[in-house]
Amino acid sequence: MALPTHMQALTFGGKEKIVLSTVPTPQVIRPEDVIVKVACAAICGSDLHPFHGREGGIGKNCTTGHEFVGTVVALGNNVKSHRIGDRVASPFTTNCGGCFYCTIGATCRCSHEQAGGFGWVDDEQMLLPEKDRKANALQGAHAEFVRVPLADATCVKVPDSITDEEAILLGDILSTAFFAAENGDVGPGKAVVVVGCGPVGLLSILAAQQLGASKVWAVDSIPDRLAMAASFGAETLNFKACDVLATVRAGTEGRGADVALELVGTSQALRLGFDCIRPGGTLSSIGVNTDAAFPFSPQEAYGKQLTFKCGRCPARQFMEKLMPQLAASPPEARPPYTRVFTHRMHLHEGVEGYRLFNNREAIKVLLSCA
Ligand SMILES: [Zn+2]
Ligand SMILES: [Zn+2]
């Protein structure tokens, strides 16, 4: 199929400004590339970091977004595992499949020069034509088309029984939720505190339950989010209205929880997670924290017998595991993951989608891009 020369995309227009723009349609640049016609894309909490113009952010006119599913419409000469017409999902970063990190499953830390995050081209690189940019400076997926480098190792073919919405969640936040829970060593009989009920926190409740947690407390203060957490089976704790620590201790014979999953990215949330766990417990932190120091001391960590894990989810690795599991279960038996999409709209309404999401009026926004 001949691609149109131009397409619609959401682009970064400067601090807290997203613009619906007409931009050139991406082309195959390297032989490992595919071009995906985006069926739908989602707005993620990670999109809000550059949106707020935080340091090291993206350049003006860069297309935003990294959560998408779609169909392969063009491919480079070296692409072996995908064909035109394949329905594919992708993690939020590209990876080569062959380097040290990919081989040990840390696909999010791939060392290949083309490994990068979608929707992340800085101001300097934006001045160059796309083919002359650094190989890991990738445009985003809030668009009608997106170029995916290293497509053999990055894209995952989506089984027919997996919906577009499920495939998008697997590419980032559902995989991240399972990563958080696995890092927290959640298992049968564990008492778990989830700090932060944004989309990843809500899915972490379901992930913890899938892994056998006997009890999940969910901490937030936003009524819609607490209501969804409750509907997922968590005991909700509004930290503005109750004593979280006292409640968790009361429910664990005074010890504290076995696990805290922290999904906010602030030191206040991390400290609450630390305080909520018992000695010998595990603190799993997924929120992107830009502070310079931990909110607990080495002495406190020692006294707590602390196990602490953090970092970015190797989503490609988790997709490979979770997608067949999900595909094997009948749709009516699947956990209600896609309920986190509270707002569904068209790419053309993406500016409003960002507004709703940034104001926390939406839990998660799905954009149909066709
Ligand atoms: Zn994301
Ligand atoms: Zn690699």
Side-chain angles (χ1 to χ4, degrees):
M1 127 185 197
L3 302 185
T5 58
H6 287 76
M7 65 170 187
Q8 300 284 288
L10 299 180
T11 60
F12 181 61
K15 193 170 161 34
E16 286 164 25
K17 189 168 177 211
I18 295 293
V19 184
L20 179 66
S21 304
T22 301
V23 301
T25 304
Q27 309 288 322
V28 168
I29 295 177
R30 294 182 181 81
E32 298 80 19
D33 289 352
V34 298
I35 304 298
V36 171
K37 185 177 197 307
V38 180
C40 21
I43 304 178
C44 176
S46 308
D47 293 318
L48 294 181
H49 292 275
F51 174 76
H52 288 294
R54 301 214 171 106
E55 206 153 328
I58 65 178
K60 199 162 181 192
N61 302 324
C62 176
T63 298
T64 62
H66 56 267
E67 299 181 357
F68 64 98
V69 59
T71 307
V72 175
V73 290
L75 34 78
N77 291 332
N78 286 355
V79 176
K80 295 184 178 64
S81 43
H82 302 292
R83 297 277 171 274
I84 302 285
D86 278 0
R87 184 165 159 258
V88 293
S90 170
F92 54 93
T93 56
T94 57
N95 70 104
C96 75
C99 72
F100 172 82
Y101 293 102
C102 284
T103 323
I104 63 165
T107 50
C108 58
R109 299 294 170 198
C110 174
S111 56
H112 194 284
E113 61 167 8
Q114 292 180 50
F118 292 98
W120 210 275
V121 185
D122 66 21
D123 268 322
E124 196 180 311
Q125 294 289 314
M126 280 304 296
L127 297 174
L128 304 169
E130 190 171 0
K131 66 178 176 43
D132 297 332
R133 287 178 195 150
K134 283 194 299 193
N136 66 350
L138 310 182
Q139 287 283 18
H142 291 158
E144 292 176 273
F145 298 89
V146 62
R147 181 176 68 89
V148 183
L150 302 172
D152 277 334
T154 300
C155 289
V156 181
K157 199 168 176 200
V158 183
D160 289 344
S161 67
I162 297 282
T163 65
D164 281 351
E165 295 185 7
E166 288 167 336
I168 285 186
L169 294 178
L170 284 164
D172 187 348
I173 68 168
L174 182 55
S175 287
T176 299
F178 273 90
F179 176 63
E182 287 188 15
N183 271 355
D185 201 22
V186 174
K190 294 282 180 80
V192 181
V193 178
V194 172
V195 182
C197 295
V200 187
L202 288 164
L203 293 182
S204 296
I205 295 168
L206 298 174
Q209 290 166 345
Q210 291 294 301
L211 295 173
S214 58
K215 172 85 190 178
V216 181
W217 286 279
V219 182
D220 207 291
S221 66
I222 299 172
D224 290 357
R225 295 180 178 208
L226 288 169
M228 192 173 286
S231 77
F232 285 175
E235 180 179 334
T236 56
L237 303 174
N238 182 339
F239 67 86
K240 289 186 176 163
C242 77
D243 185 338
V244 172
L245 202 51
T247 310
V248 170
R249 285 194 178 142
T252 52
E253 298 169 332
R255 285 190 301 272
D258 303 301
V259 184
L261 310 179
E262 181 274 315
L263 306 119
V264 181
T266 64
S267 288
Q268 191 189 9
L270 195 57
R271 178 74 214 197
L272 181 61
F274 177 88
D275 288 336
C276 281
I277 55 172
R278 63 168 168 81
T282 303
L283 176 57
S284 167
S285 168
I286 294 297
V288 180
N289 192 325
T290 54
D291 289 345
F294 282 103
F296 46 83
S297 69
Q299 187 181 24
E300 287 176 305
Y302 183 94
K304 181 81 86 173
Q305 304 284 100
L306 178 69
T307 299
F308 176 72
K309 285 206 179 185
C310 66
R312 180 196 275 174
C313 170
R316 180 61 173 75
Q317 177 79 354
F318 274 77
M319 291 171 88
E320 205 156 309
K321 180 170 66 173
L322 297 173
M323 197 172 293
Q325 283 174 12
L326 196 59
S329 86
E332 64 279 7
R334 294 177 193 175
Y337 300 132
T338 56
R339 279 188 45 212
V340 295
F341 288 113
T342 52
H343 291 69
R344 293 170 176 82
M345 49 184 68
H346 194 268
L347 176 66
H348 297 160
E349 303 163 293
V351 174
E352 171 67 0
Y354 263 88
R355 190 194 67 77
L356 290 166
F357 185 60
N358 184 51
N359 289 346
R360 297 179 174 183
E361 289 169 46
I363 290 178
K364 193 161 179 74
V365 177
L366 185 78
L367 303 170
S368 63
C369 302

